Amino acid sequence: MFYLICFGILCALAVLNVQMHDKLGSQILSGLSALMLIGIAGLRYETGGDWDSYTELFGMYPPFSRLIGRPVELLEQQTEEGFTLLCALVKSLGGTVQHLFFVVTTINITLITSALRKYTKYPVVGLLCYYGILYFNLEMIYIRQATAVALCFFALQYLQKHEIWKYMLVIVLACTFHRVAVLMIPLYFFLDRKLPEWVYLTVVGLGAALMLAGIPWIQTIFLTVAGWLGENYAEKAEAYTEEAMFAVSRGLSLGFILNLAILIVVMFFKKKIDTLPFGTIMLNMFALSLVLYYYCFELVEVSNRVRLFFYIGIIALLPMVLEVLPLFLERLAGFVVVTLYCFSFSRGIFLEAPQAAAYNPYQNYIEYKIHPRPSTGKQRLEQSKKAFRNERK
C-alpha cells in the first residue's frame, strides 16, 4: 500500500500542476514531488533489487585517493569509471552503501526534474510517469544505469539548442556510468528531425509483425558484436542469451498492445507536438524504444535495458499530449488515461504481487537505524527472484 499511496499523492500534485501551470507553481509542485521520489528510493533499506550486489561491490572499491593516483587501477574495476569514482568518494568520506543509494537517487531525480521543467509545462505529470513506468527499475535496481539515463535525458536540452559540445560532454559523462550511453552520440544528428506519420507507423508496424511471426534475426548479430568488444562483453552476451532467466523471447502481451495504442494516439496529435520545442525529440526517443521493443524480441533482457535510454522520452511526451489539448476537461480526461497507463506498469508493486516481494513491505533506513531489528530483505529478494524465474518459464 505504501507505493500506491505515494502514487496517489503524485496524482493529486499532478492534477494541481495541470490546473495551475504557472512557472512558480510548477517549480513548487515539482520540487515537492522530487523530494518524495528521492526519499523513497534514497532511504530504502534492503528493499528493491540488486541492493545485495551493490552492497558487496561497494565493499570492494579501493579509496578514492588511490584511484586518482593510479588511473590503471581505476580502469581495472568492474564498473565504469564515473560510478567507480563516485562509490570510492562516498566510501572515503565514511559513507556506506546506504549513503550511496541516497546520493545516486538525489543526482538522478534532480537531473530529471530540472530537465522536465524545460521540456514541458507539466513537469509533475512527467514525474508521475517516471514513477509509474521507470522509477522502480532504474532507481531501485539499475542504479548505475539510472544515472546514465538521467544524464542523457538532461543532455537533450542542448540538442534542441544545437549546443553540440555541451551535449557531447554530458553524454561522455553518462558513458562513465554506463557504456551503452554511447548510442546517444550519433543520435544528436537525427533526434530533432521531423518525419511523416506513415514512417513511424510503418517501421513500428513491421517490427510488431516480425515479432508476432517470431522470425529470429538479431541474436546471432548480438553475440558476434559482443565478441568483437572483448571477453567481458562476450560473457555477458552469452549469459543473456543462454541462461533460462534471461533467454526468453517477447510475445503477445499487454505491453505489445499498449505500446501500439500509445503510438497511434500520439500520431493523432503529432503535428501539434512537432510545434513544441522538444516535441519531435521526445517522439523520436519513444519511437526508438518501440523499435528495440519489437525488433529485438529475441533478447528481452538486453532490449529492455538498452531501450531505457530512449523510453525515458515518454515521461515528457505524455505531458506534451496533455499540453496540446485545448480544454481543461479534455486535459483532465487525458490525464486519467495517462494515470491508468502508468499504473499498469507498476501494478504488481502497487498491489503487492508475489514477484514484487523484494519491494513489499517498504523498509526505511532511518526507521531501521532508530529501531534496529532483523531485516527480511534477503528473504524477500530471493522470493521475488524465484517468482520472476517462474514467470519467465
Side-chain angles (χ1 to χ4, degrees):
M1 282 296 292
F2 172 76
Y3 303 108
L4 189 56
I5 292 170
C6 293
F7 185 75
I9 294 171
L10 279 175
C11 286
L13 293 174
V15 169
L16 289 175
N17 189 201
V18 173
Q19 187 176 13
M20 26 182 238
H21 50 79
D22 60 284
K23 187 175 181 180
L24 179 60
S26 290
Q27 287 180 341
I28 293 172
L29 292 171
S30 61
L32 291 173
S33 303
L35 286 174
M36 185 170 71
L37 295 185
I38 290 170
I40 295 169
L43 296 175
R44 64 187 167 112
Y45 176 66
E46 297 190 358
T47 298
D50 281 5
W51 58 264
D52 57 338
S53 300
Y54 280 111
T55 300
E56 183 179 345
L57 194 62
F58 186 82
M60 296 165 58
Y61 286 117
F64 181 79
S65 57
R66 196 167 97 193
L67 290 176
I68 292 296
R70 299 177 59 186
V72 174
E73 187 171 353
L74 175 62
L75 297 174
E76 291 173 348
Q77 299 299 311
Q78 295 183 41
T79 54
E80 283 86 347
E81 300 80 15
F83 184 75
T84 298
L85 286 172
L86 179 61
C87 291
L89 178 61
V90 171
K91 189 174 181 179
S92 295
L93 293 173
T96 66
V97 72
Q98 293 295 151
H99 297 99
L100 174 69
F101 291 156
F102 185 80
V103 169
V104 169
T105 304
T106 301
I107 292 171
N108 299 345
I109 300 301
T110 301
L111 287 169
I112 290 169
T113 304
S114 174
L116 280 170
R117 286 172 178 168
K118 297 178 175 68
Y119 301 161
T120 174
K121 290 194 299 184
Y122 305 138
V124 185
V125 178
L127 289 174
L128 172 68
C129 294
Y130 184 67
Y131 181 70
I133 298 171
L134 296 168
Y135 181 85
F136 293 101
N137 276 331
L138 286 174
E139 304 300 340
M140 298 182 78
I141 302 180
Y142 314 134
I143 65 167
R144 176 171 57 91
Q145 184 174 356
T147 303
V149 170
L151 283 165
C152 290
F153 187 65
F154 184 82
L156 295 175
Q157 62 187 292
Y158 302 123
L159 188 159
Q160 192 270 339
K161 296 175 183 175
H162 305 293
E163 297 177 343
I164 186 170
W165 294 113
K166 290 182 180 179
Y167 176 86
M168 293 300 176
L169 184 64
V170 177
I171 298 301
V172 169
L173 178 60
C175 290
T176 68
F177 283 83
H178 201 285
R179 291 283 187 263
V180 177
V182 73
L183 293 174
M184 296 296 295
I185 291 178
L187 290 178
Y188 175 88
F189 304 99
F190 304 101
L191 280 177
D192 205 14
R193 291 179 181 268
K194 294 179 174 64
L195 299 171
E197 290 88 340
W198 69 265
V199 173
Y200 296 98
L201 294 172
T202 301
V203 172
V204 175
L206 287 174
L210 182 72
M211 177 176 158
L212 284 177
I215 301 172
W217 73 281
I218 191 67
Q219 191 170 120
T220 302
I221 298 172
F222 173 69
L223 289 169
T224 302
V225 172
W228 292 342
L229 294 175
E231 185 178 346
N232 186 36
Y233 289 95
E235 288 177 357
K236 288 182 179 179
E238 187 176 342
Y240 285 133
T241 55
E242 293 184 6
E243 288 186 16
M245 186 173 177
F246 302 128
V248 180
S249 294
R250 185 180 284 115
L252 184 62
S253 64
L254 179 63
F256 180 98
I257 298 168
L258 283 177
N259 281 326
L260 285 179
I262 289 294
L263 179 66
I264 292 169
V265 169
V266 168
M267 287 299 107
F268 278 106
F269 302 101
K270 180 183 178 297
K271 287 184 174 61
K272 291 182 178 179
I273 289 172
D274 278 338
T275 64
L276 300 175
F278 294 91
T280 301
I281 294 173
M282 298 307 166
L283 174 55
N284 288 336
M285 289 277 284
F286 177 58
L288 282 172
S289 77
L290 295 187
V291 167
L292 284 168
Y293 181 89
Y294 291 114
Y295 283 90
C296 300
F297 68 92
E298 300 167 75
L299 306 170
V300 173
E301 191 68 21
V302 175
S303 64
N304 279 347
R305 294 200 183 194
V306 174
R307 71 191 288 259
L308 290 172
F309 284 93
F310 311 118
Y311 200 36
I312 194 172
I314 200 172
I315 75 170
L317 183 61
L318 291 179
M320 286 175 182
V321 173
L322 301 186
E323 282 186 49
V324 301
L325 297 173
L327 301 176
F328 174 71
L329 286 179
E330 290 179 346
R331 292 196 294 272
L332 200 58
F335 174 75
V336 171
V337 174
V338 169
T339 300
L340 292 173
Y341 179 69
C342 295
F343 177 85
S344 70
F345 276 84
S346 299
R347 62 188 183 279
I349 294 173
F350 294 152
L351 302 177
E352 302 187 9
Q355 63 268 28
Y359 295 92
N360 294 295
Y362 176 75
Q363 294 183 166
N364 183 274
Y365 176 65
I366 295 176
E367 182 190 350
Y368 269 71
K369 287 291 287 184
I370 296 173
H371 303 291
R373 59 189 184 279
S375 168
T376 60
K378 193 68 176 177
Q379 297 93 316
R380 291 186 293 111
L381 184 59
E382 290 303 318
Q383 181 184 343
S384 190
K385 287 179 179 178
K386 184 178 179 181
F388 179 76
R389 285 192 291 267
N390 290 337
E391 193 179 62
R392 284 288 180 92
K393 287 181 180 178

